[in-house]
Amino acid sequence: MMLEMWNPLGIVGVITAFNFPCAVLGWNACIALVCGNCVVWKGAPTTPLITIAMTKLVAEVLEKNNLPGAIFTAMCGGAEIGEAIAKDTRIPLVSFTGSSKVGLKVQQTVSARSGKTLLELSGNNAIIVMEDADIQLAARSVLFAAVGTAGQRCTTCRRLLLHERVYDKVLEQLLTSYKQVKIGDPLEKGTLLGPLHTPESKKNFEKGIEVIKSQGGKILTGGKAIEGEGNFVEPTIIEISSDASVVKEELFAPVLYALKFKSFEEAVAINNSVPQGLSSSIFTRNPENIFKWIGPMGSDCGIVNVNIPTNGAEIGGAFGGEKATGGGREAGSDSWKQYMRRSTCTINYGNELPLAQGINFG
């Protein structure tokens, strides 16, 4: 008889980022626990209260069901804890969410001890608006994707690729809507744009704007940090060439690059020209372009959308990206396999084993 067995890995290490401190943990921990593993979690150093609160909630559920709370263990701290998890041979799988730079270090460290990694790294996501697109739908989607959560999602739209025939029309709508964006406490009704995460994030925004200007970027709206209490910045749209090196990088803030193209093929080439490959969207009514876009000659991203924004509908699907985004997948139909050890098993029910040709055992 031959069969396959799937057994738990044992311990899964989960290292999460500040921007979705509960969701990313949930994607990993729930599947890891269902598959029979224990979880060691390191939350972001800037969100320790969430790490502690979540751990207490999980431990309470485990203990109510007569299971040790330590099945789910968490630690608060800095990079030294992440390094220890990456180096520990008792942890067969390390799931890391964060920047491509740090993710590469984690991958190298874990691979050096023959461990496995699940990486969810940087995004540099583009929305393409074709000449036949529903302009109002596209404009609403771009606003939500570029400004929501202050541009601090891995699926935030950072590049807006506009067909030359609708370039001015789309930008006109966006510039009008950007002027209406309410900035302030995101818990208040009607507020779309909250603060950046830390004062350092605000400084990075200001430095990024200067780099963009030095590479020929023209600010159409925004581009300034807001003085006063809180890490607030203006939602920003910048006209720039797709060849500018800064466009290839991820600035974790509400900064949107407006890029012009002439053909579908050129748009796809621009979309695929960056190191990252997380999420992508196209707005079009042309079935031919839709099926090209989702096919082998289309987007090279892990998430490929049509007529919805880059951060629109991936919940429940296999979330993750290609290239410098790391190749990991969380959720989706077969994501559980990453958290298990696969064995091919053969069982001999008989008394014969005709494998030793020519040997007489007496």
Side-chain angles (χ1 to χ4, degrees), residues 102-180:
V102 178
L104 182 60
K105 290 181 181 178
V106 171
Q107 184 181 49
Q108 291 170 340
T109 301
V110 176
S111 295
R113 60 173 176 84
S114 300
K116 298 196 297 182
T117 52
L118 196 166
L119 301 176
E120 295 290 350
L121 311 177
S122 303
N124 192 351
N125 316 296
I127 289 179
I128 297 171
V129 182
M130 298 298 295
E131 71 271 30
D132 66 330
D134 181 329
I135 301 301
Q136 292 236 347
L137 176 64
R140 286 199 303 271
S141 298
V142 171
L143 178 67
F144 170 68
V147 177
T149 55
Q152 297 171 115
R153 289 176 186 251
C154 51
T155 52
T156 290
C157 177
R158 309 204 180 277
R159 297 178 294 144
L160 176 59
L161 282 56
L162 300 172
H163 192 280
E164 59 182 3
R165 291 182 189 172
V166 296
Y167 184 85
D168 292 333
K169 189 174 182 180
V170 175
L171 278 182
E172 182 183 351
Q173 287 209 12
L174 282 175
L175 291 171
T176 300
S177 61
Y178 265 56
K179 290 173 184 175
Q180 302 171 50

Side-chain angles (χ1 to χ4, degrees), residues 20 27 144 153-156 278-281 302-305 308-320 330-332:
F20 286 93
W27 293 343
F144 170 68
R153 289 176 186 251
C154 51
T155 52
T156 290
L278 180 53
S279 187
S280 56
S281 298
I303 300 171
V304 184
N305 297 321
I308 54 172
T310 51
N311 57 345
E314 67 277 356
I315 296 170
F319 182 89
E330 290 162 347

Side-chain angles (χ1 to χ4, degrees), residues 245-259:
S245 61
V246 71
V247 176
K248 316 290 185 188
E249 302 166 5
E250 181 188 46
L251 179 59
F252 221 57
V255 175
L256 180 65
Y257 299 122
L259 312 169

